[in-house]
Amino acid sequence: MANNMILPAAYRPTLDIRSIESAIKDIKDYFERCLAEALVLQRVTAPMFVRSGTGINDDLNGVERPVRFCVKEDGEAPVEIVQSLAKWKRLALARYGFRCDEGLYTDMNAIRPDETLDQIHSIYVDQWDWEKIIRPEDRTLVTLKAAVDEIYGAICRTEFHLASEHATIRPILPERISFITAEELCARYPDLHPRQREQRICAERKAVFVIGIGGILPDGQPHDGRAPDYDDWTTPNSDGGCGLNGDILLWHPVLERAFEISSMGIRVDPATLLAQLEIRGLTDRVNLPFHRQLLAGELPQTMGGGIGQSRLCMFFLRAVHVGEVACGIWPEEMVRQCQAANITLL
């Protein structure tokens, strides 16, 4: 909330507001090209809403409410604004005839009304959603790490490009991203909350991929929430933990905090889907259209994720509030605090 905002002393934006708007477009255009080339992805058009009751919409941690409305000219059929496209992308790969080692990406615009409003979260979410077909035998940590390295390389190239265009922005990312399991973090910092663990490791290494998000750790709690029907967070991995998914974290130099840029992973196969639904007590979902198709073997094995567009812009421009790079609605007290701290909200 507004009272918990980090307000750096004597903060000054790296660019004026019109230059920021130009830089946002430059960042998005340049990174999008790098991402598509690195992962062999084709851009496709994505929905802003999907039909309710199909199992396609992402329920995130299972408690967030999607925005729902009825379509008058379709018999008042209920639809939902997407919260992410994790499951829709897998359907699209099958429907559009993509082959192994090919993939898609799209601009995802979501509304999450239950999102916490603070300086890095908004009810409006924009990200690049991507998905790629892999072979069943490639459901391994090696495959996951290779994709992370490609994405991180695209991030680093974009940072160097932006620095070449603006003298006020200098590259700070390390040459390589570090990998660590959630179990290893838990063992290293047993008395800390998961967010504090991320803070410690990211302050040390500056760019980290935390492996295994969603499963229960030795301390009895998950590192973070994950829905049971897209990422695999139960399969044992070769680094000694469980899960074939994770988060990319960068160290934000102005906020001085771990900064999540991407959530991604290898997707569930039929056996993993059933196991994870059982763990969460959600086996009734097997009757939903998406889940029936997956269990019937009608959908390809994939990996994919989302990369925050405004988050990436915040990081590259060293902004301290997401409202500096994306329009949103903020509590009045937060707006007053931003004005007093020289933070210009779009």
Side-chain angles (χ1 to χ4, degrees):
M1 298 301 291
N3 290 336
N4 296 325
M5 287 203 304
I6 300 171
L7 301 174
Y11 173 69
R12 291 292 181 272
T14 55
L15 302 171
D16 63 69
I17 192 165
R18 291 186 62 179
S19 296
I20 284 175
E21 290 284 20
S22 296
I24 290 170
K25 184 177 188 307
D26 188 20
I27 290 167
K28 292 185 178 184
D29 289 347
Y30 192 89
F31 178 77
E32 187 174 302
R33 289 195 300 271
C34 289
L35 179 70
E37 292 171 3
L39 294 179
V40 192
L41 307 176
Q42 176 183 339
R43 189 189 184 283
V44 301
T45 302
M48 182 169 284
F49 35 80
V50 295
R51 293 186 183 276
S52 301
T54 60
I56 295 175
N57 204 359
D58 182 3
D59 69 345
L60 304 176
N61 293 314
V63 297
E64 295 88 348
R65 301 166 301 165
V67 176
R68 292 188 172 95
F69 60 96
C70 295
V71 181
K72 179 180 178 181
E73 292 298 317
D74 191 22
E76 297 294 332
V79 300
E80 302 172 358
I81 293 178
V82 298
Q83 297 197 108
S84 90
L85 297 171
K87 289 176 271 190
W88 176 88
K89 293 176 295 182
R90 199 165 178 178
L91 290 166
L93 286 170
R95 180 184 174 193
Y96 296 171
F98 280 78
R99 295 174 294 182
C100 193
D101 296 324
E102 294 180 334
L104 58 81
Y105 77 94
T106 190
D107 289 292
M108 191 281 294
N109 295 284
I111 298 176
R112 299 178 182 173
D114 289 336
E115 191 68 85
T116 299
L117 293 181
D118 58 27
Q119 63 197 107
I120 64 171
H121 295 95
S122 170
I123 62 172
Y124 168 68
V125 179
D126 58 341
Q127 65 185 36
W128 292 281
D129 251 318
W130 66 275
E131 199 81 10
K132 183 173 183 174
I133 297 178
I134 62 173
R135 298 169 183 82
E137 57 267 29
D138 291 332
R139 299 184 76 257
T140 67
L141 204 54
V142 172
T143 303
L144 179 65
K145 286 183 174 181
V148 172
D149 283 333
E150 293 287 3
I151 293 169
Y152 185 69
I155 292 172
C156 289
R157 289 193 293 278
T158 305
E159 185 182 47
F160 272 102
H161 166 73
L162 193 65
S164 73
E165 299 291 321
H166 303 281
T168 55
I169 299 171
R170 306 315 311 156
I172 59 172
L173 289 171
E175 184 177 348
R176 299 190 63 83
I177 189 168
S178 298
F179 294 90
I180 191 168
T181 66
E183 285 86 354
E184 189 177 348
L185 272 182
C186 183
R188 182 179 293 202
Y189 308 116
D191 298 326
L192 298 183
H193 183 273
R195 289 290 173 265
Q196 295 170 319
R197 296 170 193 162
E198 291 180 351
Q199 187 80 355
R200 287 285 189 90
I201 196 67
C202 207
E204 175 188 330
R205 302 188 185 179
K206 309 306 180 188
V208 183
F209 186 75
V210 179
I211 302 166
I213 309 288
I216 299 299
L217 298 174
D219 65 355
Q221 300 295 324
H223 183 84
D224 200 357
R226 278 293 197 281
D229 41 16
Y230 57 96
D231 277 356
D232 180 336
W233 38 262
T234 51
T235 297
N237 63 55
S238 57
D239 277 7
C242 286
L244 297 172
N245 69 346
D247 291 340
I248 295 176
L249 306 172
L250 305 179
W251 181 254
H252 194 297
V254 183
L255 291 175
E256 297 186 319
R257 60 164 292 170
F259 198 65
E260 183 184 326
I261 293 294
S262 176
S263 170
M264 59 180 284
I266 291 174
R267 307 311 195 187
V268 294
D269 59 11
T272 309
L273 172 65
L274 290 175
Q276 293 183 177
L277 290 176
E278 179 71 29
I279 290 170
R280 292 288 173 82
L282 296 170
T283 53
D284 57 322
R285 290 191 185 180
V286 298
N287 298 311
L288 295 172
F290 170 84
H291 300 70
R292 289 203 307 268
Q293 283 185 263
L294 179 55
L295 292 171
E298 297 172 2
L299 300 180
Q301 177 60 62
T302 66
M303 65 181 303
I307 302 168
Q309 295 188 9
S310 292
R311 285 284 181 94
L312 210 54
C313 290
M314 270 189 75
F315 177 79
F316 288 141
L317 297 173
R318 317 308 184 214
V320 300
H321 196 291
V322 65
E324 295 180 85
V325 297
C327 292
I329 293 176
W330 314 105
E332 291 184 7
E333 175 58 23
M334 181 181 289
V335 174
R336 285 193 291 269
Q337 284 185 292
C338 287
Q339 289 172 340
N342 201 39
I343 299 170
T344 302
L345 301 178
L346 300 182

